[in-house]
Amino acid sequence: KSLRGLGMELRCRCIETESRQIRRHVKEVEIIPANSHCEESEIIATLKITGLKVCLDPEAPWVKKAIEWWMSSRRS
Amino acid sequence: KSLRGLGMELRCRCIETESRQIRRHVKEVEIIPANSHCEESEIIATLKITGLKVCLDPEAPWVKKAIEWWMSSRRS
Protein backbone atom coordinates (compact mmCIF):
# COMPACT_ATOMS: atom_id res chain seq x y z
CA LYS A 1 0.00 0.00 0.00
CA SER A 2 1.20 3.46 -0.82
CA LEU A 3 0.37 6.74 0.82
CA ARG A 4 -2.15 8.71 -1.18
CA GLY A 5 -1.56 12.11 0.32
CA LEU A 6 0.55 13.92 2.81
CA GLY A 7 -0.93 14.12 6.26
CA MET A 8 -3.46 11.45 5.55
CA GLU A 9 -4.38 9.53 8.67
CA LEU A 10 -4.02 5.79 8.43
CA ARG A 11 -6.66 4.96 11.00
CA CYS A 12 -9.88 6.34 12.39
CA ARG A 13 -9.37 9.75 13.97
CA CYS A 14 -12.19 9.66 16.50
CA ILE A 15 -12.02 7.71 19.73
CA GLU A 16 -15.27 8.91 21.18
CA THR A 17 -17.99 11.34 20.19
CA GLU A 18 -19.53 14.34 21.93
CA SER A 19 -23.08 13.53 22.95
CA ARG A 20 -24.12 17.02 24.06
CA GLN A 21 -25.91 19.32 21.63
CA ILE A 22 -23.15 21.82 20.84
CA ARG A 23 -24.42 23.22 17.56
CA ARG A 24 -24.03 26.86 18.57
CA HIS A 25 -20.40 26.37 19.54
CA VAL A 26 -19.24 24.99 16.23
CA LYS A 27 -17.17 27.14 13.89
CA GLU A 28 -16.74 24.57 11.16
CA VAL A 29 -17.12 20.88 10.59
CA GLU A 30 -15.25 18.27 8.57
CA ILE A 31 -16.89 15.13 7.21
CA ILE A 32 -14.62 12.22 6.41
CA PRO A 33 -16.45 9.44 4.58
CA ALA A 34 -15.56 5.84 5.36
CA ASN A 35 -12.37 4.84 3.58
CA SER A 36 -9.80 2.11 3.49
CA HIS A 37 -8.34 3.26 6.83
CA CYS A 38 -11.56 3.74 8.78
CA GLU A 39 -14.70 1.77 8.29
CA GLU A 40 -17.13 4.40 9.48
CA SER A 41 -17.62 8.00 8.47
CA GLU A 42 -16.29 10.58 10.92
CA ILE A 43 -17.37 14.12 11.69
CA ILE A 44 -14.89 16.46 13.33
CA ALA A 45 -16.13 19.84 14.56
CA THR A 46 -13.87 22.78 15.32
CA LEU A 47 -15.22 24.90 18.17
CA LYS A 48 -15.47 28.68 18.15
CA ILE A 49 -13.15 30.62 20.44
CA THR A 50 -11.05 27.70 21.68
CA GLY A 51 -10.51 26.07 18.31
CA LEU A 52 -10.78 22.68 20.01
CA LYS A 53 -11.70 19.76 17.80
CA VAL A 54 -14.38 17.31 18.88
CA CYS A 55 -15.89 14.32 17.16
CA LEU A 56 -19.62 14.15 16.52
CA ASP A 57 -21.74 11.05 16.02
CA PRO A 58 -22.87 10.93 12.34
CA GLU A 59 -25.92 8.96 13.40
CA ALA A 60 -27.12 11.29 16.18
CA PRO A 61 -30.34 13.06 15.15
CA TRP A 62 -29.10 16.44 16.45
CA VAL A 63 -25.95 16.14 14.35
CA LYS A 64 -27.92 15.43 11.17
CA LYS A 65 -30.14 18.43 11.85
CA ALA A 66 -27.15 20.62 12.70
CA ILE A 67 -25.43 19.74 9.40
CA GLU A 68 -28.52 20.89 7.53
CA TRP A 69 -28.57 24.05 9.62
CA TRP A 70 -24.89 24.81 9.00
CA MET A 71 -25.27 24.20 5.27
CA SER A 72 -28.24 26.49 4.94
CA SER A 73 -26.99 29.15 7.32
CA ARG A 74 -26.95 32.65 5.96
CA ARG A 75 -26.01 35.68 7.97
CA SER A 76 -28.93 38.07 8.19
CA LYS B 1 -12.64 43.63 15.75
CA SER B 2 -10.18 41.12 17.05
CA LEU B 3 -8.94 37.91 15.50
CA ARG B 4 -10.59 34.94 17.04
CA GLY B 5 -8.22 32.24 15.90
CA LEU B 6 -5.00 31.69 14.03
CA GLY B 7 -5.42 30.92 10.37
CA MET B 8 -8.98 32.13 10.33
CA GLU B 9 -9.98 33.53 6.98
CA LEU B 10 -11.38 37.03 7.03
CA ARG B 11 -13.50 36.71 3.94
CA CYS B 12 -15.39 34.08 1.98
CA ARG B 13 -13.08 31.35 0.72
CA CYS B 14 -15.03 30.29 -2.34
CA ILE B 15 -15.09 32.26 -5.57
CA GLU B 16 -17.07 29.79 -7.61
CA THR B 17 -18.55 26.36 -7.07
CA GLU B 18 -18.17 23.09 -8.94
CA SER B 19 -21.41 22.26 -10.71
CA ARG B 20 -20.51 18.74 -11.83
CA GLN B 21 -21.53 15.75 -9.72
CA ILE B 22 -18.18 14.72 -8.27
CA ARG B 23 -19.35 12.74 -5.25
CA ARG B 24 -17.15 9.73 -5.97
CA HIS B 25 -14.01 11.84 -6.19
CA VAL B 26 -14.32 13.44 -2.77
CA LYS B 27 -12.04 12.33 0.03
CA GLU B 28 -13.40 14.69 2.67
CA VAL B 29 -15.50 17.78 2.96
CA GLU B 30 -15.48 20.84 5.19
CA ILE B 31 -18.61 22.84 6.02
CA ILE B 32 -18.13 26.43 7.12
CA PRO B 33 -21.35 27.98 8.39
CA ALA B 34 -22.04 31.64 7.63
CA ASN B 35 -20.08 33.86 9.99
CA SER B 36 -19.07 37.47 10.45
CA HIS B 37 -16.59 37.24 7.57
CA CYS B 38 -18.76 35.46 5.02
CA GLU B 39 -22.48 35.77 4.75
CA GLU B 40 -23.16 32.39 3.20
CA SER B 41 -22.18 28.92 4.28
CA GLU B 42 -19.36 27.35 2.30
CA ILE B 43 -18.55 23.74 1.50
CA ILE B 44 -14.99 22.85 0.52
CA ALA B 45 -14.29 19.35 -0.76
CA THR B 46 -10.84 17.78 -0.89
CA LEU B 47 -10.47 15.44 -3.84
CA LYS B 48 -8.98 11.95 -3.68
CA ILE B 49 -5.60 11.35 -5.35
CA THR B 50 -4.85 14.98 -6.27
CA GLY B 51 -5.80 16.53 -2.94
CA LEU B 52 -7.22 19.51 -4.83
CA LYS B 53 -9.81 21.57 -3.00
CA VAL B 54 -13.00 22.60 -4.75
CA CYS B 55 -16.02 24.49 -3.52
CA LEU B 56 -19.47 22.94 -3.69
CA ASP B 57 -22.81 24.71 -3.78
CA PRO B 58 -24.61 24.14 -0.44
CA GLU B 59 -27.93 24.55 -2.21
CA ALA B 60 -27.34 22.09 -5.05
CA PRO B 61 -29.55 19.01 -4.65
CA TRP B 62 -26.69 16.63 -5.49
CA VAL B 63 -24.54 18.20 -2.78
CA LYS B 64 -27.22 17.78 -0.12
CA LYS B 65 -27.65 14.14 -1.10
CA ALA B 66 -23.91 13.59 -1.20
CA ILE B 67 -23.51 14.98 2.33
CA GLU B 68 -26.06 12.45 3.58
CA TRP B 69 -24.24 9.73 1.68
CA TRP B 70 -20.82 10.68 3.08
CA MET B 71 -22.21 10.87 6.61
CA SER B 72 -23.83 7.47 6.44
CA SER B 73 -21.06 5.77 4.50
CA ARG B 74 -19.72 2.61 6.00
CA ARG B 75 -17.11 0.40 4.41
CA SER B 76 -18.53 -3.03 3.72
Side-chain angles (χ1 to χ4, degrees):
Chain A
K1 276 187 188 171
S2 60
L3 289 172
R4 274 252 204 78
L6 290 171
M8 185 163 185
E9 297 287 337
L10 298 182
R11 55 189 170 90
C12 294
R13 297 200 218 172
C14 295
I15 295 165
E16 56 184 2
T17 56
E18 172 63 57
S19 55
R20 284 170 297 177
Q21 213 281 32
I22 55 167
R23 191 192 77 190
R24 279 155 36 100
H25 302 286
V26 169
K27 188 175 86 176
E28 56 186 58
V29 71
E30 196 180 357
I31 300 173
I32 305 161
N35 56 68
S36 54
H37 305 302
C38 183
E39 68 180 14
E40 289 184 39
S41 60
E42 298 187 290
I43 300 184
I44 301 174
T46 303
L47 304 187
K48 294 172 184 168
I49 305 175
T50 60
L52 275 176
K53 287 180 189 280
V54 297
C55 289
L56 308 181
D57 178 0
E59 291 182 0
W62 82 262
V63 174
K64 293 180 185 182
K65 276 186 205 150
I67 295 276
E68 282 175 33
W69 171 269
W70 292 320
M71 283 180 65
S72 64
S73 67
R74 191 182 292 264
R75 200 184 63 203
S76 52
Chain B
K1 277 184 185 169
S2 61
L3 289 175
R4 277 254 202 77
L6 291 171
M8 185 164 186
E9 297 286 336
L10 299 181
R11 53 188 171 90
C12 294
R13 296 199 218 172
C14 294
I15 296 166
E16 55 183 3
T17 55
E18 173 61 56
S19 55
R20 284 170 296 177
Q21 213 280 33
I22 55 167
R23 192 191 78 191
R24 278 156 36 99
H25 302 286
V26 169
K27 189 174 87 176
E28 57 187 57
V29 72
E30 196 179 353
I31 299 173
I32 305 161
N35 57 68
S36 54
H37 304 302
C38 183
E39 67 180 15
E40 288 185 39
S41 59
E42 298 187 289
I43 301 183
I44 302 174
T46 304
L47 303 188
K48 295 175 185 167
I49 305 176
T50 61
L52 275 176
K53 288 180 189 281
V54 296
C55 289
L56 308 181
D57 178 0
E59 291 181 0
W62 81 262
V63 173
K64 293 181 185 183
K65 277 185 205 151
I67 295 274
E68 283 176 34
W69 171 269
W70 290 320
M71 283 179 64
S72 65
S73 66
R74 192 181 289 268
R75 199 184 63 203
S76 51

